[in-house]
Amino acid sequence: MTAVSGHRPPAADPAVAGHTAAEEDLRALFGQSSAVFALLAGPAHLVESANRAFFDTVGQERAHTGVPLGDLMPELAGQGFIALLDQVYRTGEPYVGRDVRVMVGAGPHARESFFDVSYEPRRDATGEVTGIRVLGVETTQVKHAQRLMTEHRALLEQIARQAPLTEVLDGMARCIENLAPEEVLVSVLLADADARHLRHGAAPSLPDFYNEAIDGIATGEGVGSCGTAAHRREPVIVTDIAADPFWADFRQLADQAGLAACWSTPILARDGGLLGTFAMYHRTPRVPQDTDLALIRVFAGTAALAIERHHIEEAKATAEARARSAHDELAAVVRVERELRAEAERRAAASAELAARMRAAAAAQAAQPHPEHCQLGDAPGCTAPAEIKIADSWGDSAWGCAAHVEEAILNVRSVFIANEELGGLAAYLNR
């Protein structure tokens, strides 16, 4: 609907009549348009008439004419718009702005908007400025989409180059805090493997004592916004922490941190498993707008991608570590096996050499006088024939069988086969 001020008496001057007709044409042209259109009158900028798009923008509860724009939208004064209208009215110079940022509304229902706007002076037949024509085309969605695409692309590039998860999540939190129209504090909690507890992931703007207090909270019904969202596997929007029963156990903590609202969304894997939660905190009670919900949906999905990628990389690293460990263990086994084989071969060669020496000694000593039986047996004695004479560096000597001689040589380091060609043991000691 088009809101128009009360009946105006016809103008006697043809020029004035033509000017009025032109403005009536503008009203007709913009009456059902999506472009914002309003006619302001006088130095107080009374809203003389406006189209439906204008009142949809300011809020239908404020759809009144005959009221100064500053009274209808008091939030504009602090943003410089009333001063700008005063300037156009005073100088008669039009103003054109591109992507002008406007905060519409106040309190928890305030929202950020962007407009391409023009303020053109309205003049009477004498050329005097009588008011201002306001025309605006909202560019909020385009502006938000451009910013969102730029930031989102940067995050995807981080994920693609396998940046550390903490770096990705911290960057995502800061990105959202910059994109949000009002102050927002972002938190990402990561689910344990059993999905029963949530651990700190990223929260660059929340105080440390708060992050430490909620690190490890259980998932469950009524456990704040995040614990409940993780339990339900669906978003939990708490617009006023002070009055919400979900925050009964955490209300004092939230108050100490200066938090008044918390919207939490579960971060889910492709198979539906819980990966964590994504939360947006506010300093005042607040209801989410469409742009907030869009941010939540986009970045919850991005967080899921980053976390799943991290889990894949962790699993890959674990598998590679196990493979390296198994390889190292196998290499160690092979090395030990080679060493044992070499030792066995050395022992075999030494044994063969000793056996040959013993055969030669037995043959050489066979004609020498020697006891009948082996002298190297244990207490009961050895009944095997004595074949070889051995001695030690202390001057002791004895005859023994082949088995006991070999055992003595292997176990007593100072024992050797006596060599009669050297004059026996005495000759060896006196050599």
Side-chain angles (χ1 to χ4, degrees):
M1 99 183 180
T2 303
V4 184
S5 60
H7 176 70
R8 301 174 57 169
D13 191 324
V16 174
H19 181 73
T20 303
E23 291 200 337
E24 289 297 334
D25 289 341
L26 288 174
R27 289 190 184 95
L29 178 63
F30 291 105
Q32 300 300 322
S33 173
S34 60
V36 171
F37 174 76
L39 294 176
L40 307 181
H45 313 304
L46 268 67
V47 180
E48 184 178 283
S49 66
N51 68 349
R52 180 172 181 172
F54 176 87
F55 288 121
D56 284 344
T57 298
V58 304
Q60 286 296 331
E61 71 280 1
R62 300 194 287 186
H64 306 298
T65 57
V67 180
L69 183 62
D71 294 343
L72 188 67
M73 302 178 68
E75 67 270 20
L76 294 182
Q79 302 178 63
F81 293 104
I82 301 302
L84 190 56
L85 290 171
D86 290 341
Q87 176 183 318
V88 173
Y89 187 87
R90 183 179 64 256
T91 64
E93 296 292 331
Y95 167 81
V96 176
R98 299 293 183 188
D99 287 330
V100 178
R101 181 177 183 269
V102 187
M103 289 303 301
V104 180
H109 297 282
R111 66 183 181 87
E112 180 187 52
S113 299
F114 291 87
F115 288 88
D116 289 343
V117 297
S118 68
Y119 303 152
E120 297 182 1
R122 301 168 63 193
R123 301 178 185 274
D124 61 15
T126 65
E128 290 295 320
V129 176
T130 61
I132 299 174
R133 280 190 298 272
V134 176
L135 179 62
V137 177
E138 187 167 5
T139 61
T140 304
Q141 290 185 339
V142 174
K143 189 72 173 179
H144 284 170
Q146 290 173 340
R147 292 165 59 185
L148 181 63
M149 287 176 63
T150 299
E151 297 292 348
H152 191 244
R153 187 182 302 113
L155 287 174
L156 292 178
E157 289 174 355
Q158 276 190 308
I159 296 172
R161 63 179 174 82
Q162 298 181 13
L165 180 62
T166 52
E167 179 183 326
V168 174
L169 295 181
D170 186 81
M172 184 184 75
R174 295 182 189 278
C175 166
I176 298 166
E177 291 174 352
N178 292 332
L179 287 176
E182 287 292 297
E183 182 184 14
V184 60
L185 301 90
V186 173
S187 169
V188 178
L189 297 178
L190 303 175
D192 280 347
D194 60 4
R196 294 182 179 179
H197 294 86
L198 299 172
R199 302 292 178 182
H200 175 74
S205 299
L206 287 172
D208 291 339
F209 75 84
Y210 185 85
N211 290 329
E212 291 170 3
I214 66 172
D215 185 23
I217 64 167
T219 61
E221 187 70 15
V223 185
S225 300
C226 295
T228 305
H231 173 70
R232 292 181 175 181
R233 302 295 202 275
E234 63 183 30
V236 172
I237 306 298
V238 173
T239 59
D240 187 357
I241 289 175
D244 196 286
F246 288 171
W247 281 81
D249 294 336
F250 304 94
R251 193 164 290 131
Q252 183 177 359
L253 178 66
D255 184 62
Q256 291 174 352
L259 307 175
C262 179
W263 316 330
S264 183
T265 296
I267 302 172
L268 302 177
R270 283 169 291 182
D271 61 2
L274 180 68
L275 298 174
T277 59
F278 167 76
M280 297 173 69
Y281 290 88
H282 299 272
R283 299 290 189 187
T284 58
R286 186 145 183 261
V287 177
Q289 303 296 321
D290 290 342
T291 53
D292 298 316
L293 297 175
L295 280 175
I296 291 172
R297 287 192 296 270
V298 169
F299 286 100
T302 305
L305 178 63
I307 296 169
E308 281 197 289
R309 180 65 174 268
H310 174 70
H311 287 174
I312 291 172
E313 293 302 322
E314 274 193 332
K316 180 180 177 182
T318 300
E320 290 176 349
R322 287 176 178 171
R324 285 195 300 271
S325 177
H327 177 271
D328 292 345
E329 289 179 3
L330 179 60
V333 169
V334 170
R335 184 170 60 254
V336 170
E337 188 271 338
R338 286 175 179 171
E339 291 174 354
L340 291 175
R341 182 181 300 171
E343 177 64 16
E345 291 175 352
R346 187 188 65 77
R347 287 174 178 264
S351 178
E353 180 187 357
L354 178 59
R357 288 168 53 204
M358 289 172 58
R359 285 195 298 273
Q365 297 174 353
Q368 298 177 12
H370 59 271
E372 182 180 358
H373 298 293
C374 174
Q375 297 175 325
L376 301 176
D378 52 13
C382 176
T383 60
E387 300 178 75
I388 304 169
K389 184 180 181 180
I390 59 175
D392 63 19
S393 57
W394 300 101
D396 296 326
S397 64
W399 287 80
C401 65
H404 281 118
V405 165
E406 181 179 3
E407 182 180 337
I409 291 174
L410 293 176
N411 290 286
V412 183
R413 295 170 62 184
S414 61
V415 168
F416 55 88
I417 297 174
N419 188 342
E420 294 300 335
E421 293 180 359
L422 295 178
L425 183 58
Y428 175 79
L429 292 175
N430 296 317
R431 69 184 184 281

